[in-house]
């Protein structure tokens, strides 16, 4: 509803001037008091309630449930059964298999892109390439 009415309500600190300023400060200030966006949070302490100001980031969607990992792993495994899977034009099968079966729990792209989300991303990319018949000229 908010976006339909041209309102951005998801990110409270997204004023471009704040972003420009904070982009150029040293990292140790960005993690003030050990929090991401710590300096910004400190600057907003007179404007926001404590429970909002210092709460831990909570990414959406929540994918901590082991069933989610099992589900997206199966989906990508099924896609890789097809030797003509479009994803294999741009990603090595071995790399995808390492992602699927490796014991590492590497977080990609910070806290928001953990292993389950990365597997889901590659599944969705393959599905999109196939559905819209995207041709890749290498």
């Amino acid at each position: 509803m908010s976006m339909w009415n041209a309102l951005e309500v998801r990110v409270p600190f997204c004023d471009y001037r704040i972003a420009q300023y904070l982009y150029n400060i040293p990292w140790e200030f960005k993690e003030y008091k050990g929090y991401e966006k710590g300096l910004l949070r400190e600057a907003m302490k007179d404007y926001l309630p404590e429970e909002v100001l210092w709460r831990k980031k909570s990414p959406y969607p929540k994918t901590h449930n082991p069933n989610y990992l099992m589900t997206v792993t199966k989906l990508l495994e099924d896609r890789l059964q097809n030797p003509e899977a479009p994803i294999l034009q741009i990603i090595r099968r071995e790399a995808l298999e390492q992602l699927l079966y490796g014991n590492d729990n590497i977080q990609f792209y910070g806290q928001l892109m953990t292993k389950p989300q990365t597997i889901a991303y590659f599944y969705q990319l393959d599905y999109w390439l196939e559905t819209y018949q995207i041709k890749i000229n290498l």
Side-chain angles (χ1 to χ4, degrees):
M1 289 188 307
S2 63
M3 296 307 279
W4 177 261
N5 290 290
L7 295 174
E8 177 58 79
V9 298
R10 295 175 296 160
V11 286
F13 302 132
C14 203
D15 183 288
Y16 77 93
R17 293 163 295 204
I18 293 173
Q20 284 176 338
Y21 174 74
L22 291 172
Y23 184 79
N24 291 298
I25 63 170
W27 187 257
E28 56 271 13
F29 294 139
K30 293 178 187 180
E31 288 225 335
Y32 182 76
K33 292 190 175 181
Y35 285 88
E36 65 279 333
K37 301 178 187 156
L39 185 62
L40 179 59
R41 293 170 189 263
E42 183 67 23
M44 300 306 295
K45 69 181 178 185
D46 294 332
Y47 301 97
L48 295 173
E50 284 288 314
E51 62 272 9
V52 171
L53 188 65
W54 296 104
R55 71 180 171 205
K56 184 163 177 53
K57 288 176 71 171
S58 179
Y60 179 84
K62 297 283 189 188
T63 56
H64 305 296
N65 190 319
N67 292 331
Y68 182 80
L69 176 58
M70 290 174 13
T71 300
V72 294
T73 296
K74 176 76 169 112
L75 288 169
L76 187 56
E77 285 174 336
D78 291 348
R79 303 293 292 181
L80 294 179
Q81 294 302 311
N82 175 6
E84 302 298 317
I87 193 78
L88 296 174
Q89 295 177 49
I90 55 176
I91 307 291
R92 289 182 295 114
R93 176 184 294 278
E94 299 80 30
L96 292 170
E97 289 172 347
Q98 175 63 33
L99 174 65
L100 289 171
Y101 309 120
N103 288 331
D104 55 346
N105 194 12
I106 299 170
Q107 289 195 352
F108 300 90
Y109 317 113
Q111 74 172 28
L112 299 179
M113 194 74 150
T114 60
K115 185 173 181 173
Q117 290 96 339
T118 305
I119 293 170
Y121 171 79
F122 285 122
Y123 166 76
Q124 293 165 3
L125 178 59
D126 185 71
Y127 180 85
W128 179 80
L129 290 167
E130 183 176 271
T131 299
Y132 295 100
Q133 300 177 7
I134 305 299
K135 302 297 179 209
I136 299 171
N137 297 320
L138 300 174

